[in-house]
Amino acid sequence: MMDYTLKNKMYLVLPILVTILIWKVLSIIIDSPILIPSPEKSVLELLRIIQSKYFFIVIRNTAVRVILGFTFSFTLALVLGIIASFIPAVYFLLKPLVIIQKSVPTLAVILLAIIWLSSELAPILVAFLISFPIIYSTVTSSINNIDIKLLEMAKVYKLSKKLKLKKIYIPAIKSDLFAVISTAIGLSLKVTIAAEVLSQPAKSIGTSFQIEKATLNTAGVFAWSIIVIVLAALLDVIINTIQKKYSKEIKKEEVNYESY
């Protein structure tokens, strides 16, 4: 067990070390801090940013936008996904809208959001629009792919709609949603920051990227990139922790033939 854990840690650390080594070699070969700064200079910029009095305000502002955009998207996609799975008219009404959302380039969504809303609210709308079709499609697909035999048995035993929702549909949705939430919230983080770069709300990660770019401080851009990577990793850890915590509960709620 100990050897296995050690091996897992090596698999995690080794790619990071290789990346840093390649980064260092490229910075020496190119020899231009504006193009590729050294890892050391980027770390110094990272420390400068972290020590700034506005650092946690910047992180908080962007994090709030990501959470709000994702929460609105998740809630509406879940509700509409369930309704559309049972009411064909709603499904066919929403289908072209979902296809359009999937097809429109992210940059176009960002520009439209900036035109429609203030710089503070535009990134929230972008996060909502980008993650909605992912979650909605997962919900509808989960319900439509439920084993027909389970539904037939529920009909034979005359289970109420409430019991079928609790014992069949919700467990099916949960198991698939956990798999897609990490992807959706990670995407929400990236598009929110991209929207902030263009809309430039006060004290945000995207605006900080733009400031570093405007001053040709590439090391600062690298430093903020490291911060975003760490934030994304933390979100992933939180989601995985929640998933493990509720995995046993989900398994209990899954319907098997014996429960009927």
Side-chain angles (χ1 to χ4, degrees), residues 151-163:
L151 298 177
E152 289 174 352
M153 293 184 74
K155 186 176 181 180
V156 168
Y157 286 96
K158 298 181 180 179
L159 293 185
S160 65
K161 290 182 179 180
K162 182 178 180 181
L163 197 57

PDB file of all heavy atoms in Angstrom, residues 151-163:
ATOM      1  N   LEU A 151     -38.088   0.862 -15.157  1.00  0.00           N
ATOM      2  CA  LEU A 151     -39.320   1.631 -15.274  1.00  0.00           C
ATOM      3  C   LEU A 151     -40.539   0.713 -15.394  1.00  0.00           C
ATOM      4  O   LEU A 151     -41.604   1.004 -14.846  1.00  0.00           O
ATOM      5  CB  LEU A 151     -39.227   2.558 -16.493  1.00  0.00           C
ATOM      6  CG  LEU A 151     -38.103   3.608 -16.453  1.00  0.00           C
ATOM      7  CD1 LEU A 151     -38.063   4.407 -17.748  1.00  0.00           C
ATOM      8  CD2 LEU A 151     -38.276   4.527 -15.252  1.00  0.00           C
ATOM      9  N   GLU A 152     -40.366  -0.400 -16.101  1.00  0.00           N
ATOM     10  CA  GLU A 152     -41.462  -1.360 -16.239  1.00  0.00           C
ATOM     11  C   GLU A 152     -41.805  -1.998 -14.902  1.00  0.00           C
ATOM     12  O   GLU A 152     -42.986  -2.175 -14.565  1.00  0.00           O
ATOM     13  CB  GLU A 152     -41.085  -2.432 -17.260  1.00  0.00           C
ATOM     14  CG  GLU A 152     -41.067  -1.925 -18.698  1.00  0.00           C
ATOM     15  CD  GLU A 152     -40.556  -2.968 -19.673  1.00  0.00           C
ATOM     16  OE1 GLU A 152     -40.080  -4.039 -19.204  1.00  0.00           O
ATOM     17  OE2 GLU A 152     -40.611  -2.727 -20.894  1.00  0.00           O
ATOM     18  N   MET A 153     -40.768  -2.322 -14.110  1.00  0.00           N
ATOM     19  CA  MET A 153     -41.004  -2.912 -12.791  1.00  0.00           C
ATOM     20  C   MET A 153     -41.661  -1.908 -11.855  1.00  0.00           C
ATOM     21  O   MET A 153     -42.531  -2.258 -11.053  1.00  0.00           O
ATOM     22  CB  MET A 153     -39.695  -3.426 -12.204  1.00  0.00           C
ATOM     23  CG  MET A 153     -39.114  -4.617 -12.957  1.00  0.00           C
ATOM     24  SD  MET A 153     -37.632  -5.255 -12.171  1.00  0.00           S
ATOM     25  CE  MET A 153     -38.338  -6.079 -10.748  1.00  0.00           C
ATOM     26  N   ALA A 154     -41.234  -0.631 -11.988  1.00  0.00           N
ATOM     27  CA  ALA A 154     -41.852   0.418 -11.170  1.00  0.00           C
ATOM     28  C   ALA A 154     -43.330   0.562 -11.519  1.00  0.00           C
ATOM     29  O   ALA A 154     -44.170   0.796 -10.640  1.00  0.00           O
ATOM     30  CB  ALA A 154     -41.124   1.739 -11.398  1.00  0.00           C
ATOM     31  N   LYS A 155     -43.640   0.375 -12.780  1.00  0.00           N
ATOM     32  CA  LYS A 155     -45.032   0.454 -13.227  1.00  0.00           C
ATOM     33  C   LYS A 155     -45.837  -0.728 -12.711  1.00  0.00           C
ATOM     34  O   LYS A 155     -46.984  -0.585 -12.279  1.00  0.00           O
ATOM     35  CB  LYS A 155     -45.063   0.501 -14.761  1.00  0.00           C
ATOM     36  CG  LYS A 155     -46.447   0.740 -15.344  1.00  0.00           C
ATOM     37  CD  LYS A 155     -46.388   0.866 -16.857  1.00  0.00           C
ATOM     38  CE  LYS A 155     -47.768   1.134 -17.420  1.00  0.00           C
ATOM     39  NZ  LYS A 155     -47.718   1.265 -18.912  1.00  0.00           N
ATOM     40  N   VAL A 156     -45.202  -1.922 -12.746  1.00  0.00           N
ATOM     41  CA  VAL A 156     -45.877  -3.136 -12.267  1.00  0.00           C
ATOM     42  C   VAL A 156     -46.214  -3.003 -10.782  1.00  0.00           C
ATOM     43  O   VAL A 156     -47.309  -3.358 -10.335  1.00  0.00           O
ATOM     44  CB  VAL A 156     -45.000  -4.379 -12.506  1.00  0.00           C
ATOM     45  CG1 VAL A 156     -45.564  -5.593 -11.761  1.00  0.00           C
ATOM     46  CG2 VAL A 156     -44.895  -4.668 -14.001  1.00  0.00           C
ATOM     47  N   TYR A 157     -45.248  -2.486 -10.009  1.00  0.00           N
ATOM     48  CA  TYR A 157     -45.458  -2.348  -8.561  1.00  0.00           C
ATOM     49  C   TYR A 157     -46.158  -1.038  -8.196  1.00  0.00           C
ATOM     50  O   TYR A 157     -46.299  -0.717  -7.016  1.00  0.00           O
ATOM     51  CB  TYR A 157     -44.125  -2.450  -7.831  1.00  0.00           C
ATOM     52  CG  TYR A 157     -43.592  -3.861  -7.787  1.00  0.00           C
ATOM     53  CD1 TYR A 157     -42.656  -4.299  -8.726  1.00  0.00           C
ATOM     54  CD2 TYR A 157     -44.036  -4.761  -6.826  1.00  0.00           C
ATOM     55  CE1 TYR A 157     -42.175  -5.603  -8.692  1.00  0.00           C
ATOM     56  CE2 TYR A 157     -43.564  -6.064  -6.782  1.00  0.00           C
ATOM     57  CZ  TYR A 157     -42.630  -6.472  -7.720  1.00  0.00           C
ATOM     58  OH  TYR A 157     -42.153  -7.760  -7.688  1.00  0.00           O
ATOM     59  N   LYS A 158     -46.569  -0.291  -9.227  1.00  0.00           N
ATOM     60  CA  LYS A 158     -47.363   0.923  -9.046  1.00  0.00           C
ATOM     61  C   LYS A 158     -46.707   1.927  -8.093  1.00  0.00           C
ATOM     62  O   LYS A 158     -47.336   2.437  -7.160  1.00  0.00           O
ATOM     63  CB  LYS A 158     -48.767   0.565  -8.549  1.00  0.00           C
ATOM     64  CG  LYS A 158     -49.553  -0.293  -9.527  1.00  0.00           C
ATOM     65  CD  LYS A 158     -50.943  -0.614  -9.009  1.00  0.00           C
ATOM     66  CE  LYS A 158     -51.716  -1.472 -10.013  1.00  0.00           C
ATOM     67  NZ  LYS A 158     -53.061  -1.825  -9.517  1.00  0.00           N
ATOM     68  N   LEU A 159     -45.419   2.181  -8.352  1.00  0.00           N
ATOM     69  CA  LEU A 159     -44.716   3.180  -7.547  1.00  0.00           C
ATOM     70  C   LEU A 159     -45.243   4.567  -7.893  1.00  0.00           C
ATOM     71  O   LEU A 159     -45.527   4.863  -9.055  1.00  0.00           O
ATOM     72  CB  LEU A 159     -43.216   3.132  -7.817  1.00  0.00           C
ATOM     73  CG  LEU A 159     -42.454   1.883  -7.367  1.00  0.00           C
ATOM     74  CD1 LEU A 159     -40.965   2.070  -7.603  1.00  0.00           C
ATOM     75  CD2 LEU A 159     -42.709   1.581  -5.897  1.00  0.00           C
ATOM     76  N   SER A 160     -45.349   5.418  -6.903  1.00  0.00           N
ATOM     77  CA  SER A 160     -45.807   6.784  -7.134  1.00  0.00           C
ATOM     78  C   SER A 160     -44.740   7.568  -7.903  1.00  0.00           C
ATOM     79  O   SER A 160     -43.571   7.180  -7.941  1.00  0.00           O
ATOM     80  CB  SER A 160     -46.087   7.475  -5.798  1.00  0.00           C
ATOM     81  OG  SER A 160     -44.881   7.618  -5.062  1.00  0.00           O
ATOM     82  N   LYS A 161     -45.157   8.674  -8.523  1.00  0.00           N
ATOM     83  CA  LYS A 161     -44.202   9.512  -9.267  1.00  0.00           C
ATOM     84  C   LYS A 161     -43.095  10.025  -8.349  1.00  0.00           C
ATOM     85  O   LYS A 161     -41.932  10.103  -8.739  1.00  0.00           O
ATOM     86  CB  LYS A 161     -44.941  10.686  -9.910  1.00  0.00           C
ATOM     87  CG  LYS A 161     -45.856  10.281 -11.050  1.00  0.00           C
ATOM     88  CD  LYS A 161     -46.515  11.494 -11.667  1.00  0.00           C
ATOM     89  CE  LYS A 161     -47.420  11.083 -12.833  1.00  0.00           C
ATOM     90  NZ  LYS A 161     -48.085  12.267 -13.449  1.00  0.00           N
ATOM     91  N   LYS A 162     -43.469  10.367  -7.118  1.00  0.00           N
ATOM     92  CA  LYS A 162     -42.493  10.875  -6.153  1.00  0.00           C
ATOM     93  C   LYS A 162     -41.453   9.809  -5.825  1.00  0.00           C
ATOM     94  O   LYS A 162     -40.250  10.093  -5.747  1.00  0.00           O
ATOM     95  CB  LYS A 162     -43.218  11.322  -4.878  1.00  0.00           C
ATOM     96  CG  LYS A 162     -42.290  11.918  -3.830  1.00  0.00           C
ATOM     97  CD  LYS A 162     -43.093  12.371  -2.610  1.00  0.00           C
ATOM     98  CE  LYS A 162     -42.149  12.961  -1.558  1.00  0.00           C
ATOM     99  NZ  LYS A 162     -42.902  13.394  -0.342  1.00  0.00           N
ATOM    100  N   LEU A 163     -41.903   8.566  -5.634  1.00  0.00           N
ATOM    101  CA  LEU A 163     -40.994   7.470  -5.302  1.00  0.00           C
ATOM    102  C   LEU A 163     -40.108   7.107  -6.489  1.00  0.00           C
ATOM    103  O   LEU A 163     -38.920   6.809  -6.319  1.00  0.00           O
ATOM    104  CB  LEU A 163     -41.793   6.251  -4.843  1.00  0.00           C
ATOM    105  CG  LEU A 163     -41.003   5.169  -4.079  1.00  0.00           C
ATOM    106  CD1 LEU A 163     -40.323   5.770  -2.862  1.00  0.00           C
ATOM    107  CD2 LEU A 163     -41.930   4.039  -3.676  1.00  0.00           C
TER     108      LEU A 163
END
